[in-house]
Amino acid sequence: MTSTPLAAPAARPRRSARGTKPLSRAAAILLLVLGGILTLLPFYFMFVFATHARQDIFSLPPPMWFGSNLEANYSSLLERTPFWRNLWNSLYLATLTTVTTLFFCTLGGYAFAMYSFKGKAALFNLLLATLLIPSTLNIVPFALIMQALGWIDTPRALWVPGMASAFGIFLMRQYIGTAIPVELVEAARIDGCSEFGIFRRIIAPLSAPALATLGLVTFVQSWNSFLGPLIIFRSADTYTAPLALRTLQGIANTDWGALMCGVALTVLPLLILFAIASRRLIDGLTSGAIKG
């Protein structure tokens, strides 16, 4: 009895790698382009609506190009609010908050990353635990403390408590601990450099990507803050820009042209800032993954 050899399985046709690579690349590019358009579309309509009257904004279909009502909207905005004063208040508050946050959070991150002291782990865990508490739970104690200090209707009621944040200390600690070698700090100490000299000459310059990231996040957060200024400020001259824009909205009548004009002028500095600092932001977000 003779055995017949088994037939070899038919070979599957190989897919051409040359054909799939361009297709997948083209699909990824198309997806990114569509995502970019969807992201930029609200900003485009914001600037377009700032140049139209209310009846044009709510018409169907809505206007797709710039109109001729920008001057009237701008005049109405200045008549109803001291807008440039409010914009200056936002800039002043955001700048002070950002500068002090960068300084104190870098100091805190340097201490947690490079020093060894009793209770370090417990203190750092307690710091992280504060991130789990919703900020809205602190509204009543915050208002009572500011009233007791006599800081109601003053900018320092917002930037002094915001001089250091748990997120900022955590970010700087993670970056300094992974990106800056301990041996470099020890060598500086052997050479006779003071602790603050090490911070100023080594830690701060080498932490530039993380500082740029934290600075941009802090500035945008302070610029867009609404609840804090709503609690603290009482007079129109002390309002920040988001709070001033809220006063333009009424129950029965809202000048949407003036409101969109104010929103466009408020968002424009943030867009310029992001365009300038976007490279630093990306470096700060990815440097830990690259160097870790």
Side-chain angles (χ1 to χ4, degrees):
M1 186 174 180
T2 59
S3 60
T4 58
L6 297 174
R12 295 182 179 179
R14 295 182 179 179
R15 294 183 180 178
S16 175
R18 295 180 181 178
T20 56
K21 257 189 177 180
L23 288 177
S24 60
R25 185 178 180 182
I29 293 175
L30 180 62
L31 186 63
L32 290 175
V33 170
L34 291 176
I37 292 175
L38 291 176
T39 302
L40 295 176
L41 204 58
F43 294 98
Y44 173 76
F45 278 109
M46 175 184 64
F47 288 107
V48 168
F49 290 163
T51 63
H52 286 274
R54 182 182 185 278
Q55 58 272 18
D56 297 329
I57 293 175
F58 288 95
S59 61
L60 290 177
M64 303 296 294
W65 191 243
F66 299 95
S68 58
N69 209 58
L70 177 61
E71 186 176 354
N73 293 337
Y74 178 72
S75 300
S76 178
L77 175 67
L78 296 186
E79 287 175 3
R80 301 184 62 177
T81 62
F83 180 75
W84 292 111
R85 172 68 181 179
N86 302 141
L87 200 65
W88 164 254
N89 293 338
S90 292
L91 179 62
Y92 173 78
L93 184 60
T95 302
L96 277 178
T97 303
T98 303
V99 171
T100 53
T101 296
L102 290 179
F103 179 72
F104 289 107
C105 287
T106 308
L107 280 178
Y110 171 48
F112 278 114
M114 296 295 178
Y115 285 84
S116 295
F117 52 90
K118 187 177 180 180
K120 172 183 172 180
L123 185 60
F124 188 69
N125 291 333
L126 180 63
L127 181 73
L128 293 182
T130 60
L131 294 174
L132 303 177
I133 303 174
S135 58
T136 52
L137 294 180
N138 300 326
I139 292 176
V140 175
F142 171 72
L144 293 177
I145 292 172
M146 293 303 109
Q147 188 174 8
L149 292 174
W151 288 4
I152 295 295
D153 214 21
T154 60
R156 62 177 175 269
L158 295 176
W159 69 264
V160 170
M163 286 194 300
S165 64
F167 169 76
I169 295 175
F170 170 75
L171 177 65
M172 297 308 300
R173 184 257 190 188
Q174 296 300 106
Y175 183 87
I176 293 172
T178 57
I180 302 177
V182 181
E183 295 78 10
L184 185 62
V185 177
E186 292 176 350
R189 288 172 182 159
I190 294 173
D191 290 340
C193 188
S194 63
E195 292 300 320
F196 191 76
I198 295 173
F199 172 78
R200 182 172 60 88
R201 298 177 183 178
I202 298 176
I203 301 300
L206 294 180
S207 303
L211 286 171
T213 302
L214 179 60
L216 184 60
V217 171
T218 304
F219 188 91
V220 172
Q221 184 178 5
S222 177
W223 184 274
N224 293 332
S225 178
F226 179 79
L227 189 58
L230 180 65
I231 296 170
I232 295 299
F233 297 137
R234 299 288 187 268
S235 57
D237 289 337
T238 60
Y239 286 172
T240 56
L243 196 58
L245 294 176
R246 180 62 183 86
T247 62
L248 295 175
Q249 293 181 268
I251 299 176
N253 185 21
T254 300
D255 191 346
W256 289 102
L259 180 61
M260 296 307 298
C261 181
V263 170
L265 291 174
T266 304
V267 171
L268 190 59
L270 295 182
L271 296 178
I272 297 173
L273 177 64
F274 183 79
I276 296 173
S278 58
R279 183 64 180 272
R280 285 288 188 177
L281 175 64
I282 296 172
D283 291 342
L285 292 175
T286 59
S287 57
I290 294 174
K291 296 181 182 179

